[in-house]
Coordinates of all heavy atoms in Angstrom, one line a residue:
M297 N -19.6 -2.5 -20.6 CA -19.0 -1.5 -19.8 C -17.7 -2.0 -19.3 O -17.6 -3.2 -18.9 CB -20.0 -1.2 -18.6 CG -19.4 -0.2 -17.7 SD -20.4 0.3 -16.2 CE -21.9 0.8 -17.0
G298 N -16.7 -1.2 -19.2 CA -15.4 -1.6 -18.8 C -15.1 -1.3 -17.3 O -16.0 -0.6 -16.6
N299 N -14.0 -1.7 -16.8 CA -13.6 -1.5 -15.4 C -12.4 -0.5 -15.4 O -11.5 -0.6 -16.2 CB -13.1 -2.8 -14.8 CG -14.3 -3.7 -14.6 OD1 -15.3 -3.3 -14.1 ND2 -14.1 -5.0 -14.9
A300 N -12.5 0.4 -14.4 CA -11.4 1.3 -14.2 C -10.9 1.1 -12.8 O -11.7 1.0 -11.8 CB -11.8 2.8 -14.4
W301 N -9.6 1.1 -12.6 CA -9.0 1.0 -11.3 C -8.3 2.4 -11.1 O -7.5 2.8 -11.9 CB -8.0 -0.1 -11.2 CG -8.6 -1.5 -11.4 CD1 -9.9 -1.8 -11.3 CD2 -7.8 -2.7 -11.6 NE1 -10.0 -3.2 -11.5 CE2 -8.8 -3.7 -11.7 CE3 -6.5 -3.0 -11.7 CZ2 -8.4 -5.0 -11.9 CZ3 -6.1 -4.3 -11.9 CH2 -7.0 -5.3 -12.0
V302 N -8.6 3.0 -10.0 CA -8.1 4.3 -9.6 C -7.4 4.2 -8.3 O -7.9 3.7 -7.3 CB -9.2 5.4 -9.6 CG1 -8.6 6.8 -9.3 CG2 -9.9 5.4 -10.9
F303 N -6.1 4.7 -8.3 CA -5.3 4.6 -7.1 C -5.0 6.0 -6.5 O -4.5 6.8 -7.2 CB -4.0 3.9 -7.4 CG -4.3 2.5 -8.0 CD1 -4.3 2.3 -9.3 CD2 -4.5 1.4 -7.1 CE1 -4.6 1.1 -9.9 CE2 -4.8 0.2 -7.7 CZ -4.8 0.0 -9.0
P304 N -5.3 6.2 -5.2 CA -5.1 7.5 -4.6 C -3.6 7.7 -4.2 O -2.8 6.7 -4.2 CB -5.9 7.4 -3.3 CG -5.9 6.0 -3.0 CD -5.9 5.2 -4.3
G305 N -3.3 8.9 -4.0 CA -1.9 9.3 -3.5 C -1.9 9.6 -2.1 O -2.8 9.3 -1.3
Q306 N -0.9 10.3 -1.7 CA -0.7 10.7 -0.3 C -1.8 11.5 0.2 O -2.3 12.4 -0.6 CB 0.6 11.5 -0.2 CG 1.0 11.7 1.3 CD 2.5 12.1 1.4 OE1 3.3 11.8 0.5 NE2 2.8 12.7 2.5
G307 N -2.3 11.3 1.4 CA -3.4 11.9 2.0 C -4.6 11.0 2.2 O -5.5 11.2 2.9
S308 N -4.5 9.8 1.5 CA -5.5 8.8 1.7 C -5.1 7.7 2.7 O -5.9 6.8 3.0 CB -5.8 8.1 0.3 OG -4.6 7.5 -0.2
Q309 N -3.9 7.9 3.3 CA -3.5 6.9 4.3 C -4.3 7.0 5.6 O -4.8 8.0 5.9 CB -2.0 7.1 4.6 CG -1.6 8.3 5.4 CD -1.5 9.6 4.5 OE1 -1.7 9.6 3.3 NE2 -1.0 10.6 5.2
K310 N -4.4 5.9 6.2 CA -5.1 5.8 7.5 C -4.6 4.6 8.3 O -4.3 3.6 7.8 CB -6.6 5.6 7.2 CG -7.5 5.5 8.4 CD -8.9 5.2 8.1 CE -9.7 5.1 9.4 NZ -11.1 4.8 9.1
V311 N -4.3 4.9 9.6 CA -3.9 3.8 10.5 C -4.9 2.7 10.4 O -6.1 2.9 10.4 CB -3.7 4.3 11.9 CG1 -3.5 3.2 12.9 CG2 -2.6 5.3 12.0
G312 N -4.4 1.5 10.2 CA -5.2 0.3 10.0 C -5.5 -0.1 8.6 O -6.2 -1.0 8.3
M313 N -5.0 0.7 7.6 CA -5.3 0.5 6.2 C -4.9 -0.8 5.6 O -5.4 -1.2 4.6 CB -4.8 1.7 5.4 CG -3.3 1.7 5.2 SD -2.8 3.2 4.2 CE -1.1 2.8 4.0
A314 N -3.9 -1.4 6.3 CA -3.4 -2.7 5.8 C -4.2 -3.9 6.2 O -4.1 -5.0 5.6 CB -1.9 -2.9 6.2
A315 N -5.1 -3.7 7.1 CA -5.9 -4.8 7.6 C -6.6 -5.6 6.6 O -6.7 -6.8 6.6 CB -6.9 -4.4 8.7
G316 N -7.1 -4.9 5.6 CA -7.9 -5.6 4.6 C -7.1 -6.4 3.5 O -7.7 -7.1 2.8
V317 N -5.8 -6.2 3.5 CA -5.0 -6.9 2.5 C -4.1 -8.0 3.1 O -3.4 -8.7 2.4 CB -4.2 -5.9 1.7 CG1 -5.0 -5.0 0.9 CG2 -3.2 -5.2 2.5
L318 N -4.0 -8.1 4.4 CA -3.1 -8.9 5.1 C -3.3 -10.4 4.8 O -2.4 -11.2 4.9 CB -3.0 -8.7 6.6 CG -2.4 -7.4 7.0 CD1 -2.4 -7.2 8.5 CD2 -0.9 -7.4 6.5
E319 N -4.5 -10.8 4.4 CA -4.8 -12.2 4.1 C -4.5 -12.6 2.7 O -4.6 -13.7 2.3 CB -6.2 -12.5 4.5 CG -6.6 -12.3 5.9 CD -5.6 -13.1 6.9 OE1 -5.3 -14.2 6.6 OE2 -5.2 -12.5 7.9
L320 N -4.2 -11.6 1.9 CA -3.8 -11.9 0.5 C -2.5 -12.6 0.4 O -1.6 -12.3 1.2 CB -3.8 -10.6 -0.3 CG -5.1 -9.8 -0.5 CD1 -4.9 -8.5 -1.2 CD2 -6.1 -10.6 -1.3
P321 N -2.4 -13.5 -0.6 CA -1.1 -14.2 -0.7 C 0.1 -13.2 -0.9 O 0.0 -12.3 -1.7 CB -1.3 -15.0 -2.0 CG -2.8 -15.2 -2.1 CD -3.4 -13.9 -1.5
G322 N 1.1 -13.4 -0.2 CA 2.3 -12.6 -0.3 C 2.3 -11.3 0.4 O 3.3 -10.6 0.4
A323 N 1.2 -11.0 1.1 CA 1.1 -9.7 1.8 C 2.2 -9.5 2.8 O 2.9 -8.5 2.9 CB -0.3 -9.5 2.4
K324 N 2.3 -10.5 3.7 CA 3.2 -10.3 4.8 C 4.7 -10.3 4.3 O 5.5 -9.5 4.8 CB 3.0 -11.4 5.8 CG 1.7 -11.2 6.6 CD 1.4 -12.3 7.6 CE 0.0 -12.0 8.2 NZ -0.5 -13.0 9.0
A325 N 4.9 -11.1 3.3 CA 6.3 -11.1 2.7 C 6.6 -9.8 2.0 O 7.7 -9.3 2.1 CB 6.4 -12.2 1.6
R326 N 5.6 -9.1 1.4 CA 5.8 -7.9 0.7 C 6.0 -6.8 1.7 O 6.9 -5.9 1.6 CB 4.6 -7.5 -0.2 CG 4.9 -6.3 -1.0 CD 4.0 -6.1 -2.2 NE 3.9 -7.3 -3.0 CZ 3.0 -7.5 -3.9 NH1 2.1 -6.6 -4.2 NH2 2.9 -8.6 -4.6
F327 N 5.3 -6.8 2.8 CA 5.5 -5.8 3.9 C 6.9 -6.1 4.5 O 7.6 -5.1 4.8 CB 4.4 -5.9 5.0 CG 3.3 -5.0 4.7 CD1 2.1 -5.5 4.2 CD2 3.4 -3.6 5.0 CE1 1.0 -4.7 4.0 CE2 2.3 -2.8 4.7 CZ 1.1 -3.3 4.2
E328 N 7.3 -7.3 4.7 CA 8.6 -7.6 5.2 C 9.7 -7.1 4.3 O 10.7 -6.5 4.8 CB 8.7 -9.1 5.5 CG 10.0 -9.5 6.2 CD 10.1 -11.0 6.5 OE1 9.0 -11.6 6.9 OE2 11.1 -11.6 6.3
A329 N 9.6 -7.3 3.0 CA 10.6 -6.9 2.1 C 10.7 -5.3 2.1 O 11.8 -4.8 2.1 CB 10.2 -7.3 0.6
A330 N 9.6 -4.7 2.1 CA 9.6 -3.2 2.2 C 10.2 -2.7 3.5 O 11.0 -1.8 3.5 CB 8.2 -2.6 2.1
S331 N 9.9 -3.4 4.6 CA 10.5 -3.1 5.9 C 12.0 -3.2 5.9 O 12.7 -2.4 6.4 CB 9.9 -3.9 7.0 OG 8.5 -3.7 7.1
N332 N 12.5 -4.3 5.3 CA 13.9 -4.5 5.2 C 14.6 -3.4 4.4 O 15.7 -3.0 4.7 CB 14.2 -5.9 4.6 CG 13.9 -7.0 5.5 OD1 13.8 -6.8 6.7 ND2 13.6 -8.2 5.0
L333 N 13.9 -3.0 3.3 CA 14.5 -1.9 2.5 C 14.5 -0.6 3.2 O 15.5 0.2 3.1 CB 13.7 -1.8 1.2 CG 13.9 -2.9 0.2 CD1 12.9 -2.7 -1.0 CD2 15.3 -2.8 -0.4
L334 N 13.5 -0.3 4.0 CA 13.3 0.9 4.7 C 14.1 1.0 6.0 O 14.4 2.0 6.5 CB 11.8 1.2 5.0 CG 10.9 1.4 3.8 CD1 9.5 1.4 4.2 CD2 11.3 2.7 3.1
G335 N 14.3 -0.2 6.6 CA 15.0 -0.2 7.9 C 14.1 0.0 9.1 O 14.5 0.4 10.1
R336 N 12.8 -0.2 8.8 CA 11.8 0.0 9.9 C 10.6 -0.9 9.6 O 10.3 -1.2 8.4 CB 11.4 1.4 10.1 CG 10.9 2.2 8.9 CD 10.9 3.7 9.2 NE 10.5 4.4 8.0 CZ 11.4 4.8 7.1 NH1 12.7 4.5 7.2 NH2 11.1 5.5 6.0
D337 N 9.7 -1.2 10.6 CA 8.6 -2.1 10.4 C 7.4 -1.4 9.8 O 6.7 -0.7 10.5 CB 8.2 -2.7 11.7 CG 7.2 -3.8 11.7 OD1 6.5 -3.9 10.6 OD2 7.1 -4.6 12.6
L338 N 7.3 -1.5 8.5 CA 6.2 -0.8 7.8 C 4.8 -1.2 8.2 O 3.9 -0.4 8.3 CB 6.4 -0.9 6.3 CG 5.5 0.0 5.4 CD1 5.7 1.5 5.7 CD2 5.7 -0.3 3.9
L339 N 4.6 -2.5 8.4 CA 3.3 -3.0 8.8 C 3.0 -2.5 10.2 O 1.8 -2.1 10.4 CB 3.3 -4.5 8.8 CG 2.0 -5.2 9.2 CD1 0.9 -4.7 8.3 CD2 2.1 -6.7 9.1
A340 N 3.9 -2.4 11.1 CA 3.6 -1.8 12.5 C 3.3 -0.4 12.3 O 2.4 0.1 13.0 CB 4.9 -2.0 13.4
I341 N 3.9 0.3 11.4 CA 3.6 1.7 11.2 C 2.2 1.9 10.6 O 1.4 2.7 11.1 CB 4.6 2.4 10.2 CG1 6.0 2.5 10.9 CG2 4.1 3.8 9.7 CD1 7.1 2.8 9.9
C342 N 1.8 1.0 9.7 CA 0.4 1.0 9.1 C -0.6 0.7 10.2 O -1.7 1.2 10.2 CB 0.3 0.0 8.0 SG 1.1 0.5 6.5
N343 N -0.2 -0.1 11.2 CA -1.2 -0.5 12.2 C -1.2 0.4 13.4 O -2.0 0.3 14.3 CB -0.8 -1.9 12.7 CG -1.1 -3.0 11.7 OD1 -2.0 -2.8 10.8 ND2 -0.4 -4.1 11.8
G344 N -0.3 1.4 13.4 CA -0.2 2.3 14.5 C 0.5 1.8 15.7 O 0.4 2.3 16.8
D345 N 1.3 0.7 15.5 CA 1.9 0.0 16.6 C 3.4 0.3 16.7 O 4.1 -0.2 17.6 CB 1.8 -1.5 16.4 CG 0.4 -2.0 16.5 OD1 -0.4 -1.4 17.2 OD2 0.1 -3.0 15.9
A346 N 3.9 1.1 15.9 CA 5.4 1.4 15.8 C 5.7 2.5 16.9 O 4.9 3.4 17.2 CB 5.8 1.9 14.5
D347 N 6.9 2.5 17.4 CA 7.4 3.4 18.3 C 8.7 4.1 17.8 O 9.4 3.5 17.0 CB 7.7 2.8 19.7 CG 6.5 2.3 20.4 OD1 5.5 3.0 20.4 OD2 6.5 1.2 21.0
G348 N 9.0 5.2 18.3 CA 10.3 5.8 18.0 C 10.3 6.7 16.8 O 9.2 7.1 16.3
D349 N 11.5 7.1 16.4 CA 11.6 7.9 15.2 C 11.0 7.2 14.0 O 11.1 6.0 13.9 CB 13.1 8.2 15.0 CG 13.7 9.1 16.0 OD1 12.9 9.8 16.7 OD2 14.9 9.2 16.1
L350 N 10.5 8.0 13.1 CA 9.9 7.5 11.9 C 8.8 6.4 12.1 O 8.7 5.5 11.4 CB 11.0 6.9 11.0 CG 12.1 7.9 10.4 CD1 13.2 7.2 9.7 CD2 11.4 8.9 9.6
S351 N 8.0 6.6 13.1 CA 6.9 5.7 13.3 C 5.6 6.2 12.9 O 4.6 5.5 13.0 CB 6.9 5.3 14.8 OG 6.6 6.5 15.6
D352 N 5.5 7.5 12.4 CA 4.2 8.1 12.1 C 3.9 7.8 10.6 O 4.6 8.0 9.7 CB 4.4 9.6 12.3 CG 3.1 10.4 12.0 OD1 2.0 9.8 11.8 OD2 3.2 11.6 12.0
L353 N 2.7 7.2 10.4 CA 2.2 6.9 9.1 C 2.1 8.1 8.2 O 2.3 8.1 7.0 CB 0.9 6.2 9.2 CG 0.3 5.8 7.8 CD1 1.2 4.8 7.0 CD2 -1.1 5.1 8.0
N354 N 1.9 9.3 8.8 CA 1.7 10.5 8.1 C 3.0 11.1 7.6 O 3.0 12.1 6.9 CB 0.9 11.5 8.8 CG -0.6 11.1 8.9 OD1 -1.1 10.6 8.0 ND2 -1.1 11.2 10.1
D355 N 4.1 10.6 8.1 CA 5.5 11.0 7.6 C 5.6 10.5 6.2 O 5.5 9.3 5.9 CB 6.5 10.4 8.5 CG 7.9 10.9 8.2 OD1 8.3 11.0 7.0 OD2 8.7 11.1 9.1
T356 N 5.9 11.4 5.3 CA 6.0 11.0 3.8 C 6.9 9.8 3.6 O 6.6 9.0 2.7 CB 6.5 12.2 3.0 OG1 5.6 13.3 3.2 CG2 6.6 11.9 1.5
R357 N 7.9 9.7 4.4 CA 8.9 8.6 4.3 C 8.2 7.2 4.6 O 8.7 6.2 4.2 CB 10.1 8.8 5.1 CG 10.9 10.0 4.7 CD 12.0 10.4 5.7 NE 11.3 11.0 6.9 CZ 12.0 11.5 7.9 NH1 13.3 11.4 8.0 NH2 11.3 12.0 8.9
N358 N 7.1 7.3 5.3 CA 6.3 6.1 5.5 C 5.1 6.0 4.7 O 4.7 4.9 4.2 CB 5.9 6.0 7.0 CG 7.1 5.9 7.9 OD1 8.1 5.3 7.6 ND2 7.0 6.6 9.1
T359 N 4.4 7.1 4.5 CA 3.2 7.2 3.7 C 3.3 6.6 2.3 O 2.5 5.7 1.9 CB 2.7 8.6 3.6 OG1 2.5 9.2 4.9 CG2 1.3 8.6 2.9
Q360 N 4.3 7.0 1.6 CA 4.4 6.6 0.2 C 4.7 5.1 0.1 O 4.1 4.4 -0.7 CB 5.4 7.5 -0.5 CG 4.8 8.9 -0.6 CD 5.6 9.8 -1.5 OE1 6.7 9.5 -2.0 NE2 5.1 11.0 -1.7
P361 N 5.7 4.6 0.8 CA 5.9 3.1 0.7 C 4.7 2.3 1.2 O 4.3 1.3 0.6 CB 7.1 2.8 1.6 CG 7.7 4.1 2.0 CD 6.7 5.2 1.6
A362 N 4.0 2.8 2.2 CA 2.8 2.1 2.7 C 1.7 2.0 1.7 O 1.1 1.0 1.4 CB 2.3 2.7 4.0
L363 N 1.4 3.2 1.1 CA 0.4 3.2 0.0 C 0.8 2.3 -1.2 O -0.1 1.6 -1.7 CB 0.2 4.6 -0.5 CG -0.6 5.6 0.5 CD1 -0.5 7.0 0.0 CD2 -2.0 5.1 0.6
F364 N 2.0 2.4 -1.5 CA 2.5 1.5 -2.7 C 2.3 0.0 -2.3 O 1.7 -0.7 -3.2 CB 3.9 1.8 -3.0 CG 4.4 0.9 -4.2 CD1 4.1 1.3 -5.5 CD2 5.0 -0.3 -4.0 CE1 4.5 0.5 -6.6 CE2 5.4 -1.1 -5.0 CZ 5.1 -0.7 -6.3
V365 N 2.7 -0.4 -1.2 CA 2.5 -1.8 -0.8 C 1.1 -2.2 -0.8 O 0.7 -3.2 -1.4 CB 3.2 -2.1 0.5 CG1 2.9 -3.5 1.0 CG2 4.7 -2.0 0.4
V366 N 0.2 -1.4 -0.1 CA -1.2 -1.7 0.0 C -1.9 -1.8 -1.4 O -2.6 -2.7 -1.7 CB -1.9 -0.8 0.9 CG1 -3.5 -0.9 0.8 CG2 -1.5 -1.0 2.4
E367 N -1.6 -0.7 -2.2 CA -2.2 -0.7 -3.5 C -1.8 -1.8 -4.4 O -2.5 -2.3 -5.2 CB -2.0 0.7 -4.1 CG -2.7 1.8 -3.4 CD -2.4 3.2 -3.9 OE1 -1.7 3.4 -4.8 OE2 -2.9 4.2 -3.2
S368 N -0.5 -2.1 -4.4 CA 0.0 -3.2 -5.2 C -0.5 -4.5 -4.8 O -0.8 -5.4 -5.7 CB 1.6 -3.2 -5.2 OG 2.1 -3.6 -4.0
L369 N -0.8 -4.7 -3.5 CA -1.4 -5.9 -3.1 C -2.9 -6.0 -3.6 O -3.4 -7.1 -3.9 CB -1.4 -6.0 -1.5 CG 0.0 -6.4 -1.0 CD1 0.0 -6.1 0.5 CD2 0.4 -7.8 -1.3
L370 N -3.6 -4.9 -3.6 CA -4.9 -4.9 -4.1 C -5.0 -5.3 -5.6 O -5.8 -6.1 -6.0 CB -5.5 -3.5 -3.9 CG -5.9 -3.1 -2.5 CD1 -6.3 -1.6 -2.4 CD2 -7.0 -4.0 -1.9
V371 N -4.0 -4.8 -6.3 CA -3.9 -5.1 -7.8 C -3.7 -6.6 -7.9 O -4.4 -7.3 -8.7 CB -2.8 -4.3 -8.5 CG1 -2.6 -4.9 -9.9 CG2 -3.2 -2.9 -8.6
D372 N -2.8 -7.2 -7.2 CA -2.5 -8.6 -7.2 C -3.7 -9.4 -6.8 O -4.0 -10.5 -7.4 CB -1.3 -9.0 -6.4 CG 0.0 -8.4 -6.9 OD1 0.1 -7.9 -8.0 OD2 1.0 -8.5 -6.2
G373 N -4.4 -9.0 -5.8 CA -5.6 -9.7 -5.4 C -6.7 -9.7 -6.5 O -7.4 -10.7 -6.7
L374 N -6.9 -8.5 -7.1 CA -7.9 -8.5 -8.2 C -7.5 -9.3 -9.4 O -8.3 -10.1 -9.9 CB -8.0 -7.0 -8.7 CG -8.7 -6.1 -7.7 CD1 -8.5 -4.6 -8.1 CD2 -10.2 -6.4 -7.6
K375 N -6.2 -9.3 -9.7 CA -5.7 -10.2 -10.8 C -5.9 -11.6 -10.5 O -6.2 -12.4 -11.4 CB -4.3 -9.8 -11.2 CG -4.1 -8.5 -11.9 CD -2.7 -8.3 -12.2 CE -2.5 -7.0 -13.0 NZ -1.1 -6.7 -13.4
A376 N -5.6 -12.0 -9.2 CA -5.8 -13.4 -8.8 C -7.2 -13.9 -8.9 O -7.5 -15.1 -9.1 CB -5.3 -13.6 -7.4
Q377 N -8.2 -12.9 -8.9 CA -9.6 -13.3 -9.1 C -10.0 -13.3 -10.5 O -11.2 -13.5 -10.9 CB -10.5 -12.2 -8.4 CG -10.3 -12.2 -6.9 CD -11.1 -11.1 -6.2 OE1 -11.9 -10.3 -6.9 NE2 -10.9 -10.9 -4.9
G378 N -9.0 -13.0 -11.4 CA -9.3 -13.0 -12.8 C -9.8 -11.7 -13.4 O -10.3 -11.6 -14.5
R379 N -9.7 -10.7 -12.6 CA -10.2 -9.4 -13.0 C -9.1 -8.6 -13.7 O -7.9 -8.8 -13.5 CB -10.7 -8.6 -11.8 CG -11.8 -9.3 -11.1 CD -12.3 -8.5 -9.9 NE -13.3 -9.2 -9.1 CZ -14.1 -8.6 -8.3 NH1 -14.1 -7.3 -8.2 NH2 -15.0 -9.4 -7.7
S380 N -9.5 -7.7 -14.5 CA -8.6 -6.8 -15.2 C -9.3 -5.5 -15.4 O -10.5 -5.3 -15.3 CB -8.2 -7.4 -16.6 OG -9.3 -7.5 -17.4
A381 N -8.4 -4.5 -15.7 CA -8.9 -3.1 -15.9 C -8.8 -2.7 -17.3 O -7.8 -3.1 -18.0 CB -8.1 -2.2 -15.0
N382 N -9.8 -2.0 -17.8 CA -9.7 -1.4 -19.1 C -9.0 -0.1 -19.1 O -8.5 0.4 -20.1 CB -11.1 -1.2 -19.7 CG -11.9 -2.5 -19.8 OD1 -12.6 -2.9 -18.9 ND2 -11.7 -3.3 -20.8
L383 N -9.0 0.5 -17.9 CA -8.4 1.8 -17.7 C -7.8 1.8 -16.3 O -8.5 1.3 -15.3 CB -9.4 2.9 -17.8 CG -9.0 4.3 -17.5 CD1 -8.1 4.9 -18.6 CD2 -10.2 5.2 -17.3
V384 N -6.6 2.4 -16.1 CA -6.0 2.6 -14.8 C -5.6 4.0 -14.7 O -5.2 4.7 -15.7 CB -4.8 1.7 -14.5 CG1 -5.3 0.2 -14.4 CG2 -3.7 1.8 -15.5
A385 N -5.8 4.6 -13.5 CA -5.4 6.0 -13.2 C -4.9 6.1 -11.8 O -5.3 5.3 -10.9 CB -6.5 6.9 -13.5
G386 N -4.0 7.0 -11.6 CA -3.5 7.2 -10.2 C -3.3 8.7 -10.0 O -2.9 9.4 -10.9
H387 N -3.4 9.1 -8.8 CA -3.1 10.5 -8.4 C -1.8 10.4 -7.6 O -1.6 9.7 -6.7 CB -4.2 11.0 -7.5 CG -3.8 12.3 -6.9 ND1 -3.4 12.5 -5.6 CD2 -3.7 13.6 -7.4 CE1 -3.1 13.7 -5.3 NE2 -3.3 14.4 -6.4
S388 N -0.8 11.2 -8.1 CA 0.5 11.3 -7.4 C 1.1 9.9 -7.3 O 1.4 9.2 -8.3 CB 0.3 12.0 -6.1 OG 1.6 12.3 -5.5
L389 N 1.4 9.4 -6.1 CA 2.0 8.1 -5.9 C 1.2 7.0 -6.5 O 1.7 6.0 -7.0 CB 2.2 7.9 -4.4 CG 2.8 6.5 -4.2 CD1 4.3 6.6 -4.2 CD2 2.3 5.8 -3.0
G390 N -0.1 7.2 -6.6 CA -1.0 6.2 -7.2 C -0.7 5.9 -8.6 O -1.0 4.8 -9.1
E391 N 0.0 6.8 -9.3 CA 0.4 6.6 -10.7 C 1.4 5.5 -10.8 O 1.4 4.8 -11.8 CB 1.0 7.9 -11.2 CG 0.1 9.1 -11.4 CD 0.8 10.3 -12.0 OE1 1.6 10.2 -12.8 OE2 0.4 11.4 -11.5
L392 N 2.2 5.3 -9.8 CA 3.2 4.2 -9.9 C 2.5 2.8 -9.9 O 2.9 2.0 -10.7 CB 4.1 4.3 -8.7 CG 5.0 5.5 -8.6 CD1 5.9 5.4 -7.4 CD2 5.9 5.5 -9.8
V393 N 1.5 2.7 -9.1 CA 0.7 1.4 -9.1 C -0.1 1.3 -10.4 O -0.2 0.2 -11.0 CB -0.2 1.3 -7.9 CG1 -1.0 0.0 -7.9 CG2 0.7 1.3 -6.6
A394 N -0.7 2.4 -10.8 CA -1.5 2.3 -12.0 C -0.6 2.0 -13.2 O -1.0 1.2 -14.1 CB -2.2 3.7 -12.3

């Protein structure tokens, strides 16, 4: 039996969703790089700790980069464990990670 990795798109975001990946190697650096590109603290947005304009995780301008960072970290974590997928699929933004 093979393995399939399926990645969701917008609508699956949830405040606190980054908590499970923060201990993965490179997680904080990846969030920092994304934050620098976006001009706002993406990790704070994921944690619900951001204030001001563009601080809502449900804003598409935050949702999509946040999902991409979290999902790409999950892939890297699985690969670091020696796992691989026989099939990958994604819905909407999840297609980019797949």
Side-chain angles (χ1 to χ4, degrees):
M297 179 181 305
N299 291 311
W301 296 347
V302 181
F303 302 95
Q306 191 164 336
S308 60
Q309 71 275 8
K310 180 180 177 183
V311 170
M313 70 182 188
V317 298
L318 288 177
E319 299 306 316
L320 293 172
K324 291 179 182 170
R326 189 163 308 166
F327 270 103
E328 187 175 319
S331 296
N332 289 336
L333 289 169
L334 294 169
R336 55 193 175 275
D337 189 342
L338 188 60
L339 184 54
I341 292 167
C342 286
N343 291 334
D345 297 331
D347 292 319
D349 291 342
L350 294 175
S351 63
D352 184 5
L353 179 60
N354 292 319
D355 185 320
T356 299
R357 295 168 289 182
N358 296 325
T359 304
Q360 292 188 356
L363 286 171
F364 181 82
V365 170
V366 169
E367 292 173 5
S368 67
L369 286 166
L370 289 170
V371 169
D372 290 350
L374 289 166
K375 287 182 176 181
Q377 295 174 7
R379 298 179 186 203
S380 62
N382 301 96
L383 172 76
V384 293
H387 172 255
S388 189
L389 177 90
E391 291 180 39
L392 294 176
V393 178

